[in-house]
Amino acid sequence: MGDWEGVRLHVVTGKGGTGKTTVAGALAMALAAGGRRVLIAEVEERQGLAQLFDVPPLAYEEHRVASAPGGGEVFALAIDAREAMHEYLAMFYRLGRAGRALDKLGFVDFATTIAPGLRDVLLTGKAYEATRRRTGDHYAYDAVVLDAPPTGRVVRFLDVTTSVSSLARVGPINRQANSITDLIHSPRTAVHVVTLLEDMPVQETADAVADLQAAHIPVGAVVVNQVRPPHLAARSLPAARRGRLDHDDVLAGLRAAGLPASDGVVDLLVREAADHAERTALEEAQRALVDDLGRPVYELPRIADGIDPTALYELADALAEQGAV
């Protein structure tokens, strides 16, 4: 499985607006290729996965949402803190219906309000359970992909031991948190960070990588999303950036292509070429910063017509072609 042999939990994060949910979906599709079963789960209650896979809103149960090449299957789950609490109370305290009765009294909202870390334990705990579940001699899922919160809070979300240290030093909550921590801090987990070739996303990516490493949480790859190829040859970029493309060459090119050719059109194209060359230079500078992070880097193309299930297959193929899986 490429660079991620042995990884059971793939956590995907990124600055808001970078397309982390799309990348999480593409990764799940790529991991499922070749007959594997993959679960993708979301925790932010946005129903982003339902929109991505073009299926009805997801509930707190696993549903098949896509097929992958080679007979693979992708299942999806929307992890809800309230439902996870019911499951937790039934599993560890055998409350069953009594747990739901407590919910009617506002217990779940009260508990997660006074102890925000408990919510993260519940959410990550469901993903942890999915990585361990077995069907006979085999894991129920070959891999689990978690569409996690944005980079600004992903370390706090994943570092559940710290979250619950003030809640319980013994008992089921503590044991569950310790088990989750063992998984998240082990080579069985990889946190992948999604970015764009822009200043703020790259800076947040660098900060997230540093914070994850400081917390001893394994960092996987950096995925550069929405990459646009340069439209000018590399040798033309310096002149284009200075607005000094040869006027006669541009005019001749327009005429050869059978397009309207006039001084006004050429001037417009020269200005647009200068803007394009400037953007390309800025993106190259950001790409160098990403490379300096010392993590595997994969690039996904910008999909001009928006993301639909067909585009998701295209992005999954792009990850596979780069050796990501």
Side-chain angles (χ1 to χ4, degrees), residues 16-321:
T18 58
K20 70 176 179 65
T21 298
T22 298
V23 173
L27 177 60
M29 293 287 288
L31 288 167
R36 291 183 287 267
R37 286 168 52 95
V38 173
L39 174 68
I40 181 170
E42 64 180 11
V43 296
E44 297 182 276
E45 301 181 10
R46 295 186 297 108
Q47 289 295 331
L49 294 179
Q51 297 175 43
L52 182 66
F53 287 97
D54 194 22
V55 297
L58 298 172
Y60 188 69
E61 53 189 38
E62 295 149 24
H63 288 287
R64 182 177 171 279
V65 294
S67 299
E73 296 178 299
V74 176
F75 293 78
L77 166 69
I79 304 178
D80 176 79
R82 175 172 280 99
E83 291 297 330
M85 174 66 89
H86 295 158
E87 189 173 71
Y88 179 85
L89 292 173
M91 183 181 302
F92 291 105
Y93 294 97
R94 306 189 187 284
L95 289 181
R97 292 180 180 178
R100 293 189 179 275
L102 287 173
D103 191 14
K104 292 179 180 179
L105 299 175
F107 171 74
V108 175
D109 288 337
F110 174 74
T112 56
T113 298
I114 65 169
L118 177 59
R119 174 184 172 84
D120 292 342
V121 173
L122 295 169
L123 297 175
T124 54
K126 185 63 177 178
Y128 162 78
E129 181 274 329
T131 66
R132 298 176 68 246
R133 193 188 318 153
R134 288 181 174 271
T135 302
D137 295 334
H138 305 285
Y139 283 116
Y141 295 106
D142 295 287
V144 175
V145 177
L146 183 62
D147 181 17
T151 46
R153 81 174 207 92
V154 71
V155 173
R156 186 169 69 253
F157 172 76
L158 294 172
D159 202 7
V160 294
T161 297
T162 301
S163 298
V164 301
S165 60
S166 60
L167 300 177
R169 298 185 184 279
V170 296
I173 293 177
N174 181 270
R175 290 195 296 272
Q176 177 81 341
N178 286 335
S179 297
I180 296 167
T181 295
D182 288 344
L183 170 66
I184 288 174
H185 289 258
S186 78
R188 293 170 291 157
T189 292
V191 182
H192 310 297
V193 188
V194 182
T195 190
L196 305 177
L197 291 176
E198 298 173 5
D199 180 60
M200 287 301 295
V202 169
Q203 183 58 58
E204 282 207 21
T205 296
D207 292 342
V209 168
D211 291 344
L212 288 162
Q213 290 173 335
H216 306 292
I217 297 174
V219 181
V222 176
V223 180
V224 181
N225 196 23
Q226 301 179 28
V227 174
R228 295 171 289 188
H231 299 303
L232 294 171
R235 65 179 182 277
S236 301
L237 287 173
R241 192 177 180 188
R242 296 193 300 270
R244 294 183 180 177
L245 287 178
D246 187 274
H247 183 282
D248 292 337
D249 285 347
V250 177
L251 196 62
L254 288 170
R255 288 171 177 161
L259 297 172
S262 67
D263 289 343
V265 172
V266 171
D267 290 342
L268 177 61
L269 287 175
V270 169
R271 289 196 297 274
E272 290 186 353
D275 291 341
H276 175 74
E278 180 67 22
R279 177 177 61 78
T280 299
L282 292 174
E283 289 179 347
E284 284 302 315
Q286 296 302 319
R287 184 176 276 110
L289 294 175
V290 170
D291 290 340
D292 286 344
L293 296 175
R295 304 308 309 153
V297 178
Y298 305 109
E299 296 194 356
L300 293 177
R302 181 173 180 267
I303 306 295
D305 296 329
I307 302 298
D308 59 17
T310 300
L312 211 51
Y313 281 103
E314 181 180 339
L315 296 177
D317 287 344
L319 287 174
E321 289 169 1

